[in-house]
Amino acid sequence: MAEAVTQRRIPASGRSRPVLLVVDDEPEVLRSLYDLFRLDYRVLTASRGAEALDILGREPVSVIMSDQRMPEMTGVEFLSQARVIRPEATRLLITGYADLKAVIDAINEGHVFRYIAKPWDPEELATVIRQAVEHRNLIVEKQRLIEELRAANLRLQEANRLKSNFIEVASHELNTPVTIVLGMAELWKLTQGNAAEPDDLTSGWVERILAAGRRLASTVERMIKLLHADRLAPMLDAEPVELASLVSQVIDDVQPYLDARQQRIELVVEPELGVAEVDRGKVADALSNLVINAIKFTPDQGLIRVWAGPEGEDAVAFEVCDEGVGIDPNEQDLVFEPFFTGFDTMHHSSGDFQFGKRGIGLGLSLVRTFAEMHGGFASFESTPGQGSRFRIQLPRHPITRPLPDESEPSPEREPPDQEKGRSGTAG
C-alpha cells in the first residue's frame, strides 16, 4: 500500500501541497482517506508506526493522522515519537473506541491537536484537517520569526561589541593628540614667562591654538559621553544634592561667557527646591548645556532667565528662558536628536559662546539623555524671533529605566500638555 502511494505522489505538481501522513493498520481506512484528500493534499500512508517514523524523517509532513489501536506501537506511542522528529507537525488521533485514557495520554504525551472518532463525517474531517494545516503554518511562522529575532539579537550583540571597541579606540585616538597639543602650548607659555610681549604675533598664535584645542577637547568629551549613553544608566551616581547650590555653581561657571557677551542672568530659585537624589555631575552638565545654548542664541546685552523649583511633592524642575532667535517650527521635532544643529553645514561656524555659533549637535541630546536616566524628561517651547524656554523635570528620587530606542518615538520623552519644539540649537 505504501509503495503504491509513493508512486502516486511523485509528480512535481503535488510538491507544493501540504503533506498529510495517515497511519492506520486497516488498508480500507488508508485508501478511503487517501481518496478523500488526494486532491488538496499530498497524502502519504503507513500501516505501522515504525514505517511512519521513517517517512517523517524524510518528508516535510504538515499533519499526522494516526489510529490509536495498531500492532507493535499504539497511536499515543507513535505520536509521542513523531513529536520529537517533526515538532512543528500537527498531530491528530483516530480511534473507534471510547477510550478516555487514550485521549488523555495522547494529549499529555503526544500533544495531540484534535481527537477524531470513528466513523467520521467527511466534511467535518476536512474542516479539521484544514484547521490542522493552519495551526502548523502558524507554528512554523512563529518559529521563523523567533529565529529571525535570535539572529537579529546576535547581530546587535556583535554590533554593540564592535561599538564598544570603537569607543575605547576613538577615546584614545582623539584624546591623545588633543592632550599633546594643549600640553605643548601650555609648556610654551610657561617657558616664555614674561618674555613674550602682549602683542607678540607668536603669543597670539599660541593663544588661538589653546582656544581651539580646548574647544576640540570639549567636543571629544561630549562625543564619548553620547557614545557611552547606553552604559550610563546603570552607572547613575545618585546622591542627595542641595539643588540651589548646584544651580548657583552652574551660573558661576558660565559667568565669563556672560561677561564677554555683556549678558545677564535673572536667577529665581524657589525656597522649596530643597534636596533631590540625583547625579550631581550629570545634572550640572545638563543645566550648563541649556545655559550655554541660551547664551549662544541670545544677542549681546540680552537677558536670560533661569528658574528652579519644586514640581509637586515628588519632582523638581529647571527652566532656562532666552529672548533669542528661537527655533524654526520645521526643525523643532529634531532638537534633541544627536548631531542636529539646525543650520546649513556649508556655512557652519563653531564656537564656545559667541552669538549664533554652533557645535556638533550633542549638547541638547545629552540634556535629554541625562534627564531620562533619572526617570525625568526634557521639553521646550520656542517661537522664532522671540526666544525659547527649555525645561528639565526630574523626580526627587531617580527612577531607573532603559533609555528609549532612538529609532522609535517614545511618549515618555514628551510630557502631557507640553508644546514640542526649539531654533538656534547649540551642540
Side-chain angles (χ1 to χ4, degrees):
M1 181 66 184
E3 293 181 358
V5 173
T6 301
Q7 292 176 358
R8 288 190 177 95
R9 57 181 173 79
I10 287 177
S13 59
R15 293 291 182 180
S16 61
R17 294 176 294 172
V19 179
L20 171 63
L21 174 61
V22 182
V23 188
D24 199 302
D25 61 333
E26 298 182 24
E28 295 78 9
V29 173
L30 294 178
R31 173 61 63 183
S32 173
L33 291 173
Y34 175 82
D35 291 339
L36 180 61
F37 294 112
R38 64 185 178 84
L39 296 180
D40 296 320
Y41 304 94
R42 181 168 159 245
V43 183
L44 309 179
T45 62
S47 59
R48 294 179 298 111
E51 180 186 359
L53 292 174
D54 181 64
I55 293 174
L56 284 174
R58 297 183 281 105
E59 299 287 351
V61 176
S62 300
V63 178
I64 305 170
M65 295 178 60
S66 174
D67 187 28
Q68 166 61 12
R69 298 297 180 93
M70 296 185 298
E72 302 177 4
M73 187 183 300
T74 67
V76 171
E77 293 170 342
F78 162 68
L79 292 176
S80 181
Q81 296 184 44
R83 178 170 173 258
V84 176
I85 299 174
R86 292 284 176 189
E88 76 282 0
T90 306
R91 292 166 293 280
L92 306 172
L93 182 67
I94 307 172
T95 182
Y97 301 89
D99 191 346
L100 181 59
K101 182 179 185 304
V103 174
I104 295 175
D105 290 344
I107 293 174
N108 293 336
E109 299 178 25
H111 291 261
V112 172
F113 177 66
R114 289 286 294 272
Y115 166 79
I116 302 171
K118 296 179 182 178
W120 54 75
D121 178 88
E123 291 186 3
E124 291 182 1
L125 184 57
T127 299
V128 171
I129 298 298
R130 184 169 59 253
Q131 292 173 346
V133 171
E134 293 173 352
H135 179 72
R136 181 262 182 189
N137 291 341
L138 288 175
I139 292 176
V140 171
E141 178 65 12
K142 175 185 175 183
Q143 187 61 36
R144 183 187 67 81
L145 294 175
I146 290 175
E147 291 299 326
E148 288 185 359
L149 180 61
R150 183 178 293 112
N153 284 337
L154 289 175
R155 291 194 296 270
L156 287 174
Q157 290 174 10
E158 177 63 12
N160 191 57
R161 184 187 67 82
L162 294 175
K163 188 192 78 169
S164 297
N165 292 342
F166 168 77
I167 292 174
E168 302 304 328
V169 173
S171 177
H172 178 269
E173 293 297 323
L174 292 173
N175 279 311
T176 299
V178 171
T179 302
I180 292 174
V181 169
L182 290 174
M184 296 299 291
E186 291 287 357
L187 182 60
W188 183 89
K189 291 180 64 177
L190 289 174
T191 57
Q192 293 299 309
N194 297 325
E197 296 295 330
D199 59 346
D200 181 66
L201 183 61
T202 303
S203 178
W205 287 348
V206 172
E207 290 297 334
R208 294 172 66 181
I209 291 172
L210 279 171
R214 293 188 185 107
R215 187 166 64 248
L216 180 57
S218 176
T219 299
V220 170
E221 181 183 7
R222 289 184 180 182
M223 290 178 64
I224 299 303
K225 282 183 179 180
L226 188 64
L227 289 171
H228 275 292
D230 62 338
R231 301 185 194 171
L232 291 176
M235 296 168 53
L236 196 67
D237 187 16
E239 60 181 356
V241 173
E242 174 59 48
L243 298 178
S245 64
L246 184 149
V247 175
S248 298
Q249 183 61 52
V250 168
I251 302 303
D252 290 343
D253 290 344
V254 300
Q255 191 60 50
Y257 298 161
L258 294 166
D259 294 340
R261 297 286 309 284
Q262 299 181 12
Q263 297 169 338
R264 63 186 181 91
I265 283 186
E266 183 180 279
L267 175 61
V268 176
V269 176
E270 302 293 347
E272 299 84 3
L273 179 61
V275 175
E277 190 177 347
V278 299
D279 187 315
R280 184 183 185 92
K282 292 179 177 59
V283 174
D285 282 350
L287 292 176
S288 294
N289 276 305
L290 291 186
V291 175
I292 291 174
N293 199 62
I295 291 173
K296 286 186 177 184
F297 296 100
T298 297
D300 291 350
Q301 302 177 353
L303 174 65
I304 299 169
R305 295 181 174 87
V306 177
W307 174 90
E311 187 66 28
E313 296 181 358
D314 301 321
V316 295
F318 307 89
E319 292 185 359
V320 177
C321 304
D322 64 61
E323 300 174 352
V325 298
I327 304 173
D328 189 321
N330 294 326
E331 299 174 349
Q332 293 187 3
D333 288 346
L334 302 173
V335 163
F336 288 116
E337 296 303 316
F339 303 108
F340 176 76
T341 54
F343 68 97
D344 181 357
T345 56
M346 298 299 293
H347 299 90
H348 176 57
S349 178
S350 62
D352 291 325
F353 61 88
Q354 297 84 356
F355 182 62
K357 300 295 184 180
R358 295 167 169 86
I360 59 175
L362 296 180
L364 294 179
S365 178
L366 285 174
V367 169
R368 182 183 66 184
T369 298
F370 289 164
E372 290 176 349
M373 284 170 56
H374 286 81
F377 61 82
S379 61
F380 72 94
E381 300 173 351
S382 183
T383 303
Q386 298 183 23
S388 304
R389 177 174 70 92
F390 277 81
R391 176 183 178 88
I392 301 174
Q393 182 168 317
L394 306 175
R396 287 195 181 272
H397 303 283
I399 303 172
T400 57
R401 65 190 183 202
L403 293 177
D405 183 352
E406 293 295 335
S407 64
E408 298 181 1
S410 171
E412 292 181 347
R413 290 182 183 169
E414 299 171 16
D417 302 324
Q418 289 287 342
E419 180 183 345
K420 290 183 66 177
R422 182 168 159 123
S423 170
T425 55

